[in-house]
Amino acid sequence: MQIKKFEKEYDVKSYECDKNGGLRLLTLMNIFQDIADSHASALGIGIEHCLAHGLAWIGSNYIINIERLPQWHEKIRIVTWPAVEKKIGAVRDFLVFDEKGLVIIRASSQWVLINYEKRRPVSLRDNLPEYHIIDERALFTDFPKIEDFETVDFRRCFAIRFDDIDINNHVNNSVYPLWASEAVPAPFRLSHRPETLEVAFKKEGLFGEDVNVLTRLDGLTSLHSIQAQSDGRELAKVKIVWKEI
């Protein structure tokens, strides 16, 4: 199937904004998931196909570069397309345009198709209708490994709420960057906003668990390891490069 880029317009609502009037990271991630799901469904490879065949798309990585965050009452346009196909996974890219047509956010995401019952990756070509990628990138990245760290500057604990769980029965991708951004000290958070965000999803987080967010803050870069309290398994790693407001 030959495809075209998919786009939607969004009006930024007051309840989607932070104290500075900028779009929340949580909402930005949810918008990306929404438009990705809409496009995948239009291609016949979305949630409807997955549920009917015992499959699920699982996010493995995100990289987001933010020139500026959309503001309250602003109308933005999101464009997305499948940019790379691998044997068991795919890369989907995003561009966010402001009302002047300028790109204000670039993002790339990596996804793995799994057998839902066995929780194991499966081949795209053996399990999806045929479609073709668009050989164009919003960000040229191979999703490099987020570095480990030994020195922990800050530690925060969060409970996994019912509202954090999505249709795949685990913590939604958008929640991990939220936890990471809340794990830096309040004075720093109040005076900085994310400029680059990298997320590597590792394991499933489940309703009722508690998680520890271990943080290393080095200048304008914060590294985060998000771990389940019960058994210490690492659920995600996050790297944020901050910019002064």
mmCIF file with all atom_site columns, all heavy atoms in Angstrom, residues 189-201:
data_model
loop_
_atom_site.group_PDB
_atom_site.id
_atom_site.type_symbol
_atom_site.label_atom_id
_atom_site.label_alt_id
_atom_site.label_comp_id
_atom_site.label_asym_id
_atom_site.label_entity_id
_atom_site.label_seq_id
_atom_site.pdbx_PDB_ins_code
_atom_site.Cartn_x
_atom_site.Cartn_y
_atom_site.Cartn_z
_atom_site.occupancy
_atom_site.B_iso_or_equiv
_atom_site.pdbx_formal_charge
_atom_site.auth_seq_id
_atom_site.auth_comp_id
_atom_site.auth_asym_id
_atom_site.auth_atom_id
_atom_site.pdbx_PDB_model_num
ATOM 1   N N   . ARG A 1 189 ? 13.096 22.880 38.368 1.00 0.00 ? 189 ARG A N   1
ATOM 2   C CA  . ARG A 1 189 ? 11.968 22.614 37.462 1.00 0.00 ? 189 ARG A CA  1
ATOM 3   C C   . ARG A 1 189 ? 11.211 23.892 37.140 1.00 0.00 ? 189 ARG A C   1
ATOM 4   O O   . ARG A 1 189 ? 10.750 24.088 36.007 1.00 0.00 ? 189 ARG A O   1
ATOM 5   C CB  . ARG A 1 189 ? 11.022 21.592 38.092 1.00 0.00 ? 189 ARG A CB  1
ATOM 6   C CG  . ARG A 1 189 ? 9.873  21.162 37.178 1.00 0.00 ? 189 ARG A CG  1
ATOM 7   C CD  . ARG A 1 189 ? 10.418 20.394 35.999 1.00 0.00 ? 189 ARG A CD  1
ATOM 8   N NE  . ARG A 1 189 ? 9.374  19.988 35.077 1.00 0.00 ? 189 ARG A NE  1
ATOM 9   C CZ  . ARG A 1 189 ? 8.960  20.709 34.044 1.00 0.00 ? 189 ARG A CZ  1
ATOM 10  N NH1 . ARG A 1 189 ? 9.476  21.907 33.833 1.00 0.00 ? 189 ARG A NH1 1
ATOM 11  N NH2 . ARG A 1 189 ? 8.015  20.263 33.234 1.00 0.00 ? 189 ARG A NH2 1
ATOM 12  N N   . LEU A 1 190 ? 11.074 24.770 38.121 1.00 0.00 ? 190 LEU A N   1
ATOM 13  C CA  . LEU A 1 190 ? 10.334 26.010 37.909 1.00 0.00 ? 190 LEU A CA  1
ATOM 14  C C   . LEU A 1 190 ? 11.056 26.974 36.966 1.00 0.00 ? 190 LEU A C   1
ATOM 15  O O   . LEU A 1 190 ? 10.426 27.825 36.347 1.00 0.00 ? 190 LEU A O   1
ATOM 16  C CB  . LEU A 1 190 ? 10.077 26.703 39.254 1.00 0.00 ? 190 LEU A CB  1
ATOM 17  C CG  . LEU A 1 190 ? 9.038  26.041 40.161 1.00 0.00 ? 190 LEU A CG  1
ATOM 18  C CD1 . LEU A 1 190 ? 9.076  26.657 41.545 1.00 0.00 ? 190 LEU A CD1 1
ATOM 19  C CD2 . LEU A 1 190 ? 7.638  26.166 39.547 1.00 0.00 ? 190 LEU A CD2 1
ATOM 20  N N   . SER A 1 191 ? 12.368 26.837 36.851 1.00 0.00 ? 191 SER A N   1
ATOM 21  C CA  . SER A 1 191 ? 13.145 27.781 36.045 1.00 0.00 ? 191 SER A CA  1
ATOM 22  C C   . SER A 1 191 ? 13.676 27.175 34.750 1.00 0.00 ? 191 SER A C   1
ATOM 23  O O   . SER A 1 191 ? 14.418 27.836 34.024 1.00 0.00 ? 191 SER A O   1
ATOM 24  C CB  . SER A 1 191 ? 14.317 28.325 36.874 1.00 0.00 ? 191 SER A CB  1
ATOM 25  O OG  . SER A 1 191 ? 15.155 27.277 37.316 1.00 0.00 ? 191 SER A OG  1
ATOM 26  N N   . HIS A 1 192 ? 13.293 25.933 34.447 1.00 0.00 ? 192 HIS A N   1
ATOM 27  C CA  . HIS A 1 192 ? 13.773 25.275 33.233 1.00 0.00 ? 192 HIS A CA  1
ATOM 28  C C   . HIS A 1 192 ? 12.636 24.529 32.548 1.00 0.00 ? 192 HIS A C   1
ATOM 29  O O   . HIS A 1 192 ? 11.656 24.147 33.190 1.00 0.00 ? 192 HIS A O   1
ATOM 30  C CB  . HIS A 1 192 ? 14.890 24.273 33.571 1.00 0.00 ? 192 HIS A CB  1
ATOM 31  C CG  . HIS A 1 192 ? 16.128 24.891 34.110 1.00 0.00 ? 192 HIS A CG  1
ATOM 32  N ND1 . HIS A 1 192 ? 16.229 25.308 35.424 1.00 0.00 ? 192 HIS A ND1 1
ATOM 33  C CD2 . HIS A 1 192 ? 17.324 25.174 33.522 1.00 0.00 ? 192 HIS A CD2 1
ATOM 34  C CE1 . HIS A 1 192 ? 17.437 25.824 35.629 1.00 0.00 ? 192 HIS A CE1 1
ATOM 35  N NE2 . HIS A 1 192 ? 18.131 25.749 34.493 1.00 0.00 ? 192 HIS A NE2 1
ATOM 36  N N   . ARG A 1 193 ? 12.806 24.317 31.254 1.00 0.00 ? 193 ARG A N   1
ATOM 37  C CA  . ARG A 1 193 ? 11.853 23.488 30.517 1.00 0.00 ? 193 ARG A CA  1
ATOM 38  C C   . ARG A 1 193 ? 12.651 22.528 29.615 1.00 0.00 ? 193 ARG A C   1
ATOM 39  O O   . ARG A 1 193 ? 13.780 22.812 29.225 1.00 0.00 ? 193 ARG A O   1
ATOM 40  C CB  . ARG A 1 193 ? 10.876 24.340 29.712 1.00 0.00 ? 193 ARG A CB  1
ATOM 41  C CG  . ARG A 1 193 ? 11.482 25.240 28.644 1.00 0.00 ? 193 ARG A CG  1
ATOM 42  C CD  . ARG A 1 193 ? 11.516 24.558 27.293 1.00 0.00 ? 193 ARG A CD  1
ATOM 43  N NE  . ARG A 1 193 ? 11.859 25.447 26.195 1.00 0.00 ? 193 ARG A NE  1
ATOM 44  C CZ  . ARG A 1 193 ? 12.299 25.016 25.024 1.00 0.00 ? 193 ARG A CZ  1
ATOM 45  N NH1 . ARG A 1 193 ? 12.497 23.725 24.804 1.00 0.00 ? 193 ARG A NH1 1
ATOM 46  N NH2 . ARG A 1 193 ? 12.584 25.870 24.067 1.00 0.00 ? 193 ARG A NH2 1
ATOM 47  N N   . PRO A 1 194 ? 12.077 21.350 29.312 1.00 0.00 ? 194 PRO A N   1
ATOM 48  C CA  . PRO A 1 194 ? 12.809 20.379 28.494 1.00 0.00 ? 194 PRO A CA  1
ATOM 49  C C   . PRO A 1 194 ? 13.085 20.906 27.082 1.00 0.00 ? 194 PRO A C   1
ATOM 50  O O   . PRO A 1 194 ? 12.211 21.497 26.448 1.00 0.00 ? 194 PRO A O   1
ATOM 51  C CB  . PRO A 1 194 ? 11.865 19.177 28.451 1.00 0.00 ? 194 PRO A CB  1
ATOM 52  C CG  . PRO A 1 194 ? 10.977 19.346 29.631 1.00 0.00 ? 194 PRO A CG  1
ATOM 53  C CD  . PRO A 1 194 ? 10.800 20.823 29.790 1.00 0.00 ? 194 PRO A CD  1
ATOM 54  N N   . GLU A 1 195 ? 14.312 20.681 26.612 1.00 0.00 ? 195 GLU A N   1
ATOM 55  C CA  . GLU A 1 195 ? 14.682 21.025 25.241 1.00 0.00 ? 195 GLU A CA  1
ATOM 56  C C   . GLU A 1 195 ? 14.837 19.758 24.397 1.00 0.00 ? 195 GLU A C   1
ATOM 57  O O   . GLU A 1 195 ? 14.432 19.729 23.231 1.00 0.00 ? 195 GLU A O   1
ATOM 58  C CB  . GLU A 1 195 ? 15.976 21.825 25.230 1.00 0.00 ? 195 GLU A CB  1
ATOM 59  C CG  . GLU A 1 195 ? 16.399 22.305 23.853 1.00 0.00 ? 195 GLU A CG  1
ATOM 60  C CD  . GLU A 1 195 ? 17.613 23.213 23.920 1.00 0.00 ? 195 GLU A CD  1
ATOM 61  O OE1 . GLU A 1 195 ? 18.583 22.858 24.628 1.00 0.00 ? 195 GLU A OE1 1
ATOM 62  O OE2 . GLU A 1 195 ? 17.591 24.285 23.273 1.00 0.00 ? 195 GLU A OE2 1
ATOM 63  N N   . THR A 1 196 ? 15.417 18.716 24.990 1.00 0.00 ? 196 THR A N   1
ATOM 64  C CA  . THR A 1 196 ? 15.530 17.415 24.333 1.00 0.00 ? 196 THR A CA  1
ATOM 65  C C   . THR A 1 196 ? 15.142 16.333 25.332 1.00 0.00 ? 196 THR A C   1
ATOM 66  O O   . THR A 1 196 ? 15.547 16.372 26.494 1.00 0.00 ? 196 THR A O   1
ATOM 67  C CB  . THR A 1 196 ? 16.963 17.154 23.832 1.00 0.00 ? 196 THR A CB  1
ATOM 68  O OG1 . THR A 1 196 ? 17.345 18.175 22.924 1.00 0.00 ? 196 THR A OG1 1
ATOM 69  C CG2 . THR A 1 196 ? 17.040 15.813 23.121 1.00 0.00 ? 196 THR A CG2 1
ATOM 70  N N   . LEU A 1 197 ? 14.358 15.391 24.855 1.00 0.00 ? 197 LEU A N   1
ATOM 71  C CA  . LEU A 1 197 ? 13.885 14.309 25.702 1.00 0.00 ? 197 LEU A CA  1
ATOM 72  C C   . LEU A 1 197 ? 14.177 12.979 25.016 1.00 0.00 ? 197 LEU A C   1
ATOM 73  O O   . LEU A 1 197 ? 13.854 12.794 23.837 1.00 0.00 ? 197 LEU A O   1
ATOM 74  C CB  . LEU A 1 197 ? 12.381 14.453 25.933 1.00 0.00 ? 197 LEU A CB  1
ATOM 75  C CG  . LEU A 1 197 ? 11.669 13.324 26.684 1.00 0.00 ? 197 LEU A CG  1
ATOM 76  C CD1 . LEU A 1 197 ? 12.092 13.308 28.141 1.00 0.00 ? 197 LEU A CD1 1
ATOM 77  C CD2 . LEU A 1 197 ? 10.157 13.488 26.570 1.00 0.00 ? 197 LEU A CD2 1
ATOM 78  N N   . GLU A 1 198 ? 14.818 12.055 25.737 1.00 0.00 ? 198 GLU A N   1
ATOM 79  C CA  . GLU A 1 198 ? 15.052 10.704 25.242 1.00 0.00 ? 198 GLU A CA  1
ATOM 80  C C   . GLU A 1 198 ? 14.461 9.723  26.251 1.00 0.00 ? 198 GLU A C   1
ATOM 81  O O   . GLU A 1 198 ? 14.681 9.857  27.450 1.00 0.00 ? 198 GLU A O   1
ATOM 82  C CB  . GLU A 1 198 ? 16.545 10.422 25.079 1.00 0.00 ? 198 GLU A CB  1
ATOM 83  C CG  . GLU A 1 198 ? 17.252 11.345 24.088 1.00 0.00 ? 198 GLU A CG  1
ATOM 84  C CD  . GLU A 1 198 ? 18.729 11.029 23.970 1.00 0.00 ? 198 GLU A CD  1
ATOM 85  O OE1 . GLU A 1 198 ? 19.081 9.825  24.048 1.00 0.00 ? 198 GLU A OE1 1
ATOM 86  O OE2 . GLU A 1 198 ? 19.526 11.971 23.834 1.00 0.00 ? 198 GLU A OE2 1
ATOM 87  N N   . VAL A 1 199 ? 13.733 8.743  25.740 1.00 0.00 ? 199 VAL A N   1
ATOM 88  C CA  . VAL A 1 199 ? 13.115 7.737  26.604 1.00 0.00 ? 199 VAL A CA  1
ATOM 89  C C   . VAL A 1 199 ? 13.388 6.360  26.030 1.00 0.00 ? 199 VAL A C   1
ATOM 90  O O   . VAL A 1 199 ? 13.214 6.132  24.830 1.00 0.00 ? 199 VAL A O   1
ATOM 91  C CB  . VAL A 1 199 ? 11.589 7.934  26.728 1.00 0.00 ? 199 VAL A CB  1
ATOM 92  C CG1 . VAL A 1 199 ? 11.032 7.011  27.810 1.00 0.00 ? 199 VAL A CG1 1
ATOM 93  C CG2 . VAL A 1 199 ? 11.238 9.378  27.022 1.00 0.00 ? 199 VAL A CG2 1
ATOM 94  N N   . ALA A 1 200 ? 13.836 5.437  26.880 1.00 0.00 ? 200 ALA A N   1
ATOM 95  C CA  . ALA A 1 200 ? 13.993 4.037  26.504 1.00 0.00 ? 200 ALA A CA  1
ATOM 96  C C   . ALA A 1 200 ? 13.114 3.209  27.439 1.00 0.00 ? 200 ALA A C   1
ATOM 97  O O   . ALA A 1 200 ? 13.339 3.194  28.657 1.00 0.00 ? 200 ALA A O   1
ATOM 98  C CB  . ALA A 1 200 ? 15.450 3.598  26.605 1.00 0.00 ? 200 ALA A CB  1
ATOM 99  N N   . PHE A 1 201 ? 12.108 2.564  26.888 1.00 0.00 ? 201 PHE A N   1
ATOM 100 C CA  . PHE A 1 201 ? 11.192 1.747  27.682 1.00 0.00 ? 201 PHE A CA  1
ATOM 101 C C   . PHE A 1 201 ? 11.767 0.347  27.814 1.00 0.00 ? 201 PHE A C   1
ATOM 102 O O   . PHE A 1 201 ? 12.180 -0.269 26.834 1.00 0.00 ? 201 PHE A O   1
ATOM 103 C CB  . PHE A 1 201 ? 9.817  1.704  27.016 1.00 0.00 ? 201 PHE A CB  1
ATOM 104 C CG  . PHE A 1 201 ? 9.234  3.067  26.751 1.00 0.00 ? 201 PHE A CG  1
ATOM 105 C CD1 . PHE A 1 201 ? 9.261  3.608  25.481 1.00 0.00 ? 201 PHE A CD1 1
ATOM 106 C CD2 . PHE A 1 201 ? 8.674  3.812  27.771 1.00 0.00 ? 201 PHE A CD2 1
ATOM 107 C CE1 . PHE A 1 201 ? 8.735  4.865  25.221 1.00 0.00 ? 201 PHE A CE1 1
ATOM 108 C CE2 . PHE A 1 201 ? 8.150  5.079  27.526 1.00 0.00 ? 201 PHE A CE2 1
ATOM 109 C CZ  . PHE A 1 201 ? 8.183  5.599  26.249 1.00 0.00 ? 201 PHE A CZ  1
#
